[in-house]
């Protein structure tokens, strides 16, 4: 029964796709940007509508298969990133999450929670291939977090040290920039 639910969830995620944050096409009467202009960065929106809500108590595992929950990290702010190896915007932001984790050290838990149904079978090689220095893989092979939180991928949620949501960002985000630093400073 669990595998049927997992397949249904995977199908729903595949149909919905990951949040690509595509820009609308230009109108015929607009002036086009020069060919050498840098592409605009994806636009992400900070959602504060869930601020103050308690972190879900859903279980997930670490790379060794140990069961955990977000409550295991109370006492420190947690930046929960829901992602998958097949989600292009997720993959693009992972290096900035790794840099953030390295920069903040023990002051902030950066928790990339894979929504891949095959768990370490695909996440392990992905982490090894990309050589992340500070990130550790965590697994939600039931995609319970995406379903419970109604989240497209990638979605990143900041929880304060007491386990209360501060904000969430849907879509790719540059976690190495000044905007990210200012947002993360909101966690107490």
């Amino acid at each position: 029964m669990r595998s049927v639910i997992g397949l249904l969830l995977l199908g729903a995620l595949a149909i919905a796709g990951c949040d690509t944050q595509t820009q609308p096409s230009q109108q015929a009467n607009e002036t086009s940007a020069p060919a050498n202009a840098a592409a605009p960065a994806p636009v992400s929106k900070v959602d504060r509508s869930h601020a103050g809500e308690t972190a879900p108590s859903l279980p997930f595992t670490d790379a060794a298969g140990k069961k955990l929950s977000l409550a295991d990290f109370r006492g420190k702010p947690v930046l929960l990133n829901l992602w998958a190896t097949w989600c292009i915007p997720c993959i693009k932001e992972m290096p900035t999450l790794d840099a953030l984790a390295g920069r903040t050290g023990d002051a902030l838990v950066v928790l990339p929670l894979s929504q891949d149904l095959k768990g370490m079978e695909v996440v392990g090689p992905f982490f090894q291939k990309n050589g992340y220095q500070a990130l550790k893989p965590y697994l939600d092979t039931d995609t319970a977090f995406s379903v419970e939180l109604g989240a497209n991928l990638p979605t990143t949620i900041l929880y304060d040290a007491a386990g209360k949501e501060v904000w969430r960002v849907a879509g790719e985000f540059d976690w190495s920039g000044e905007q990210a630093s200012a947002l993360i400073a909101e966690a107490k």
Side-chain angles (χ1 to χ4, degrees):
M1 178 68 172
R2 199 170 118 168
S3 62
V4 171
I5 292 171
L7 288 174
L8 289 172
L9 291 173
L10 178 60
L13 285 172
I15 290 169
C18 51
D19 190 351
T20 59
Q21 298 292 312
T22 56
Q23 300 294 321
S25 61
Q26 290 184 332
Q27 297 293 319
N29 61 352
E30 288 184 34
T31 305
S32 296
N36 62 353
V43 177
S44 297
K45 181 180 175 192
V46 177
D47 177 1
R48 298 176 189 279
S49 65
H50 300 277
E53 291 180 9
T54 302
S57 59
L58 300 166
F60 57 92
T61 61
D62 65 10
K66 180 182 175 188
K67 291 258 186 206
L68 299 166
S69 75
L70 291 174
D72 292 317
F73 299 93
R74 288 241 170 89
K76 292 184 182 181
V78 173
L79 189 69
L80 173 70
N81 177 258
L82 302 177
W83 72 285
T85 58
W86 47 263
C87 171
I88 301 301
C90 301
I91 294 167
K92 287 174 67 178
E93 75 177 354
M94 290 296 275
T96 66
L97 283 167
D98 187 48
L100 174 65
R103 204 171 52 253
T104 58
D106 290 337
L108 174 73
V109 176
V110 179
L111 201 153
L113 186 57
S114 168
Q115 302 296 284
D116 287 285
L117 298 177
K118 292 185 177 182
M120 281 306 287
E121 181 182 333
V122 294
V123 174
F126 177 85
F127 263 67
Q128 186 174 18
K129 173 185 158 200
N130 290 290
Y132 300 123
Q133 300 295 308
L135 291 180
K136 297 177 186 173
Y138 294 92
L139 312 167
D140 175 17
T141 57
D142 295 328
T143 65
F145 275 80
S146 290
V147 172
E148 174 81 15
L149 298 170
N152 286 332
L153 301 181
T155 292
T156 306
I157 304 170
L158 180 66
Y159 293 101
D160 64 19
K164 302 290 184 181
E165 184 169 329
V166 179
W167 48 255
R168 62 179 68 183
V169 172
E172 180 186 342
F173 193 78
D174 178 5
W175 296 104
S176 62
E178 288 181 27
Q179 183 182 13
S181 294
L183 287 169
I184 290 165
E186 294 179 29
K188 296 173 178 71

